[in-house]
Amino acid sequence: MTWIDVSQPLHADVTTWPGDTKFSYEIAWPMAQSGSVNVGKVTMSLHVGTHIDAPFHFDDHGQRVIDLDPSIYIGPARVIHMPHKSKIEASDLDGHDLTGVERLILKTDGWPDKRVFPETIPELTPSLADRLGELGIFLIGLDLPSVDAIDSKEMSAHHALARNGVHILEGLVLDNILPGDYDLNAVPLPIVEGDGSPVRALLRPIL
Ligand SMILES: Nc1ccccc1C(=O)C[C@H](N)C(=O)O
Ligand SMILES: [Zn+2]
Ligand SMILES: [Zn+2]
């Protein structure tokens, strides 16, 4: 079975958090000059598109990308559908048996047009973070640019997830993904000091 790409392509028009550094690619050293190769150069915020957050993103004393075990981002993941919500809280998981699930992906449909940065998105509550911690889930992925509201300054979901040992994968493209069990591969780059990293996120159905 083949892998399904659930990442946002990185190009000049990929949306950016308001005020943050946009993605740009240029050929810094063209073949005509180097005599042998084209050499590209990228400038971007580490929080553009599909990416993971390192705890240092929201905690000056938190782990950097290099401190995160890559195994967090590789392995079985459960996708569940949570549409039409302004908040996603612990009780929203009540109907779901998540026994044995370690990576949980929420398909919220809360960012339907990825060409436009959303003004409002569903937010995760600290009660949900606590429930994920109790369940032994160590990765939450979602189809939104943040686990908190866009205008949040407290970043309470980011902090509550970190307190519970739950790592964060944001900006997935889940339009063509049905709820179910998948293998996930969404490994960050080894950016030693990074507060986050873009990832190529892939899902493969577990049959
Ligand atoms: N780039 C920003 C600039 C200002 C304020 C927040 C952000 C974020 O990136 C938050 C988002 N939750 C993120 O982790 O991607
Ligand atoms: Zn981020
Ligand atoms: Zn974030």
Side-chain angles (χ1 to χ4, degrees):
M1 193 67 194
T2 51
W3 291 90
I4 306 163
D5 192 354
V6 288
S7 357
Q8 298 180 53
L10 294 173
H11 53 67
D13 294 327
V14 65
T15 63
T16 316
W17 197 272
D20 203 358
T21 312
K22 291 186 184 320
F23 176 90
S24 86
Y25 170 84
E26 63 181 289
I27 302 172
W29 204 2
M31 195 168 296
Q33 278 172 26
S34 71
S36 54
V37 286
N38 291 313
V39 183
K41 172 182 168 180
V42 160
T43 307
M44 66 186 294
S45 161
L46 294 174
H47 300 270
V48 167
T50 310
H51 70 279
I52 65 102
D53 288 353
F56 177 64
H57 179 49
F58 45 88
D59 173 0
D60 277 338
H61 303 288
Q63 291 167 299
R64 311 284 186 121
V65 173
I66 205 74
D67 303 320
L68 302 170
D69 184 344
S71 312
I72 295 164
Y73 308 97
I74 313 170
R78 169 80 48 86
V79 177
I80 63 174
H81 200 198
M82 289 270 150
H84 316 303
K85 300 226 181 279
S86 58
K87 282 184 189 330
I88 300 174
E89 47 202 332
S91 58
D92 290 315
L93 297 181
D94 282 351
H96 296 270
D97 178 8
L98 298 174
T99 316
V101 172
E102 296 179 322
R103 301 172 190 81
L104 182 65
I105 296 177
L106 303 179
K107 177 172 156 64
T108 73
D109 299 337
W111 184 10
D113 185 356
K114 296 281 189 298
R115 295 170 304 178
V116 184
F117 197 83
E119 280 173 25
T120 58
I121 54 170
E123 60 185 289
L124 309 192
T125 66
S127 77
L128 179 77
D130 293 342
R131 176 71 67 86
L132 297 176
E134 287 158 22
L135 287 163
I137 289 168
F138 55 72
L139 180 70
I140 183 84
L142 74 187
D143 52 0
L144 301 172
S146 185
V147 293
D148 276 292
I150 300 290
D151 59 0
S152 172
K153 291 283 173 268
E154 296 78 24
M155 305 293 269
S156 46
H158 282 80
H159 287 284
L161 289 164
R163 265 202 312 279
N164 283 284
V166 185
H167 296 275
I168 301 170
L169 169 59
E170 294 169 331
L172 293 166
V173 182
L174 300 174
D175 304 346
N176 299 319
I177 300 297
L178 294 170
D181 286 314
Y182 294 82
D183 276 321
L184 169 74
N185 193 324
V187 188
L189 304 176
I191 303 171
V192 172
E193 294 177 284
D195 56 289
S197 170
V199 298
R200 184 78 182 263
L202 304 168
L203 289 175
R204 180 174 66 178
I206 297 177
L207 300 174

